[in-house]
Amino acid sequence: QRASCCVTKHKQKTERDDSLSAKLRDSLPPPPSSSSIMLRYLKRSSSTLSSSHTRPAKRIKYTPLHPTNNLKILSWNVNGLKAVTSKYEMEQEDYSFAQQFITKDHSLDNLQYLLKKERPTILTLQETKIQKNQQELYEWKFEGYQGFFCSSIKKKGYSGVAIFVRVDWMQQQKQHKNIRIKRGFLAKEQHDEGRLISLEFDEFIILNVYAPNSAAELKRLEYRMQWDRDLLAFIDELKEDTGKAVILTGDLNVSYLNLDVWNPEDRHPRTACWTQEEKDGFKTFINAGLVDSFRYLHPDKADSYSQWSYRARNKIQNRGMRLDYILMSDSLKEGLEAAYMMPGIKGSDHCPVGMNFKLPETYLQSLHVKQMHMEEEKALSHLTDEEKRQLKEAKDYAEDELLVNESRGDGSNQAVQVETQDESEDYEHTFSAQPAGGDHQKTSFKE
């Protein structure tokens, strides 16, 4: 009896649910005619459709390419390439953009998000902390970019820098297959910590550096000051050899202005990154003709930092320092359009810094003239002193002849102009002649 009673109640409940479902279905408005709106309507009205059955978002195809002259450079101390490529944390408003690239088989880390959102022409990374045999494990993360690494030799999982160049822009370079790469200081055995890499392009040279920290109790301050001097000498050598402008990016581990630190009055003067020696070392780069891109456009802007301590959770309160820079040769500052910090990009105790600029026409013209002179000097380098002297005399003689011919050309032009006048017109010329007796006599004649 109990079993039959349960069956009866189950039948009654099923009939009641069916009748309610029919009434609910009849009360719904008719669906729209458009197929795309129909899909949205069914997803919204059906409570049984789970999110797991929806299609993955379709990837967006980018329409390149920035013009060759429009450049965006980003620099970021990632504090370990492995860490920044395994994290997925960003601001809430950025999730909608990131969702376009996330599928069932593909996630998006902070570094890939930065590349897809900003599409920089050049990205420089510091403190990668990877060895040479690990580079291939991360290259696939940089789709559409060519990577150049410099790793530490002294210690594993320490220091390291890298430069990533967008392939479509690099292919527009004349020497894109033979880009000159320099890793570290040449003939400097003490500098083998993977702190410098440079690339030479058609119009400029870019350097990516990770300056050594003076450490606790300033144990490495003297090493740091020598490193600054060697870096400046290296930059001067590059400019002298190529005649090209230099862009210096990276973590320079110094805050040289009070605006660059959240508590300048309370900070001890013998603290790493804040000593007078380090500030003076940074100013030598400024005196050598390099321009701080951020301070050039924002000389009085405060509360703009690129590094925050993890220990005290200082980023929440914006208690940071500006340790990351993009410096450029003075000849490029006319084309500077924007310089900025990107604190919204997470994954490291540093945030990326960026710069947008165009190569000025005045610089490109002067570079062309410099390169012509350098090619001429290179062609003459194999000649002896006597041959150079003879060539110089021949060149001076040719220039003198050119001046004489130009002056003769002016006179001949005047003569031609006179001869083309109407022959019937009379010209009366008066001139003064001095006979042997000394009396002046004026003579008039018709031509």
Side-chain angles (χ1 to χ4, degrees):
Q1 291 178 353
R2 284 195 299 269
S4 61
C5 182
C6 290
V7 171
T8 305
K9 288 182 179 181
H10 178 71
K11 290 182 178 180
Q12 293 175 355
K13 183 180 179 181
T14 303
E15 293 174 357
R16 186 166 59 251
D17 292 342
D18 293 341
S19 62
L20 290 174
S21 299
K23 290 180 181 180
L24 178 61
R25 189 165 49 250
D26 295 339
S27 64
L28 291 175
S33 57
S34 174
S35 60
S36 60
I37 299 178
M38 171 82 76
L39 290 173
R40 290 199 298 269
Y41 167 80
L42 292 175
K43 289 181 181 180
R44 189 167 56 248
S45 60
S46 176
S47 59
T48 59
L49 185 61
S50 63
S51 59
S52 61
H53 296 118
T54 58
R55 291 184 177 180
K58 188 177 181 180
R59 296 195 179 196
I60 290 181
K61 291 185 178 180
Y62 280 95
T63 56
L65 307 166
H66 297 290
T68 307
N69 204 20
N70 293 342
L71 303 174
K72 176 189 285 190
I73 297 178
L74 299 183
S75 176
W76 190 13
N77 182 325
V78 294
N79 195 16
L81 192 58
K82 181 179 179 180
V84 80
T85 55
S86 60
K87 294 179 181 178
Y88 177 67
E89 49 183 351
M90 57 192 68
E91 300 294 339
Q92 186 65 33
E93 57 269 17
D94 295 330
Y95 276 107
S96 58
F97 176 83
Q99 192 68 26
Q100 306 169 70
F101 306 97
I102 299 175
T103 62
K104 183 178 179 181
D105 301 323
H106 178 75
S107 61
L108 194 73
D109 55 55
N110 291 319
L111 186 58
Q112 291 175 317
Y113 167 77
L114 176 66
L115 292 175
K116 294 184 180 296
K117 182 72 179 290
E118 299 298 329
R119 293 285 290 163
T121 312
I122 301 174
L123 172 67
T124 65
L125 302 180
Q126 303 87 44
E127 213 170 353
T128 57
K129 298 182 180 180
I130 63 171
Q131 301 307 118
K132 188 174 182 180
N133 57 0
Q134 297 175 310
Q135 295 172 5
E136 295 181 358
L137 301 177
Y138 296 94
E139 287 182 346
W140 70 272
K141 295 272 188 179
F142 302 87
E143 184 180 358
Y145 286 81
Q146 175 73 38
F148 305 88
F149 294 85
C150 179
S151 302
S152 173
I153 302 174
K154 273 189 175 181
K155 190 189 305 183
K156 290 185 178 181
Y158 179 73
S159 188
V161 291
I163 298 179
F164 293 90
V165 186
R166 213 175 61 223
V167 173
D168 55 16
W169 180 82
M170 189 170 63
Q171 289 177 348
Q172 299 176 21
Q173 300 288 305
K174 295 178 182 178
Q175 302 294 333
H176 71 275
K177 294 184 179 179
N178 298 308
I179 293 179
R180 294 179 60 186
I181 309 169
K182 293 185 178 181
R183 293 177 173 87
F185 299 104
L186 299 179
K188 296 289 183 181
E189 295 180 358
Q190 67 272 27
H191 300 302
D192 54 3
E193 297 182 354
R195 294 186 177 275
L196 182 147
I197 185 173
S198 67
L199 300 181
E200 180 183 342
F201 298 109
D202 292 345
E203 294 89 7
F204 63 91
I205 302 172
I206 186 165
L207 290 88
N208 180 26
V209 301
Y210 175 45
N213 192 295
S214 298
E217 301 180 2
L218 305 180
K219 294 179 180 179
R220 304 194 77 192
L221 180 59
E222 185 58 35
Y223 174 81
R224 161 63 190 270
M225 301 313 300
Q226 183 61 42
W227 194 90
D228 284 349
R229 290 189 288 268
D230 291 338
L231 175 60
L232 184 59
F234 181 73
I235 293 174
D236 291 339
E237 182 182 349
L238 288 177
K239 292 193 293 187
E240 183 178 355
D241 292 344
T242 64
K244 299 178 182 180
V246 170
I247 299 176
L248 175 63
T249 72
D251 180 0
L252 298 182
N253 266 322
V254 61
S255 298
Y256 76 105
L257 295 177
N258 288 349
L259 290 173
D260 298 331
V261 182
W262 74 275
N263 60 343
E265 297 83 5
D266 301 334
R267 188 170 290 271
H268 196 278
R270 302 305 292 173
T271 306
C273 306
W274 188 243
T275 63
Q276 190 60 43
E277 293 91 335
E278 291 168 313
K279 296 178 183 179
D280 294 341
F282 182 88
K283 290 177 183 177
T284 58
F285 295 101
I286 302 299
N287 296 334
L290 295 179
V291 178
D292 182 357
S293 59
F294 184 79
R295 285 300 170 205
Y296 181 75
L297 295 181
H298 313 286
D300 303 321
K301 189 173 183 180
D303 301 327
S304 295
Y305 311 123
S306 64
Q307 190 272 343
W308 300 263
S309 175
Y310 273 145
R311 298 175 183 175
R313 303 184 67 186
N314 283 342
K315 190 169 185 180
I316 298 176
Q317 304 177 39
N318 196 25
R319 295 179 175 180
M321 304 175 67
R322 190 167 77 99
L323 303 178
D324 304 87
Y325 299 85
I326 299 181
L327 308 181
M328 62 196 312
S329 293
D330 186 75
S331 56
L332 298 180
K333 67 181 182 182
E334 296 179 8
L336 186 59
E337 297 178 343
Y340 43 86
M341 310 287 174
M342 306 177 69
I345 303 297
K346 300 181 180 180
S348 171
D349 58 340
H350 293 249
C351 78
V353 299
M355 175 182 76
N356 301 350
F357 75 105
K358 293 182 179 180
L359 294 170
E361 285 296 328
T362 54
Y363 164 72
L364 294 176
Q365 293 174 3
S366 64
L367 176 62
H368 179 66
V369 174
K370 285 181 182 178
Q371 290 178 339
M372 289 181 60
H373 288 308
M374 292 176 67
E375 290 176 359
E376 182 179 353
E377 292 178 357
K378 185 177 180 180
L380 300 177
S381 61
H382 66 282
L383 299 180
T384 63
D385 294 340
E386 180 63 23
E387 291 173 336
K388 291 180 181 178
R389 186 186 63 79
Q390 295 177 0
L391 185 62
K392 185 177 184 304
E393 291 179 355
K395 185 177 180 181
D396 294 340
Y397 177 79
E399 291 178 352
D400 294 340
E401 286 293 321
L402 181 62
L403 291 174
V404 171
N405 291 334
E406 288 179 353
S407 62
R408 287 176 178 174
D410 294 340
S412 61
N413 290 339
Q414 293 177 1
V416 171
Q417 185 178 2
V418 172
E419 292 175 0
T420 55
Q421 300 292 334
D422 190 356
E423 295 180 357
S424 64
E425 184 177 358
D426 294 336
Y427 291 88
E428 181 173 340
H429 296 269
T430 302
F431 67 95
S432 177
Q434 186 176 4
D439 295 332
H440 292 275
Q441 181 181 2
K442 289 187 177 180
T443 304
S444 174
F445 66 93
K446 287 187 178 181
E447 182 179 15

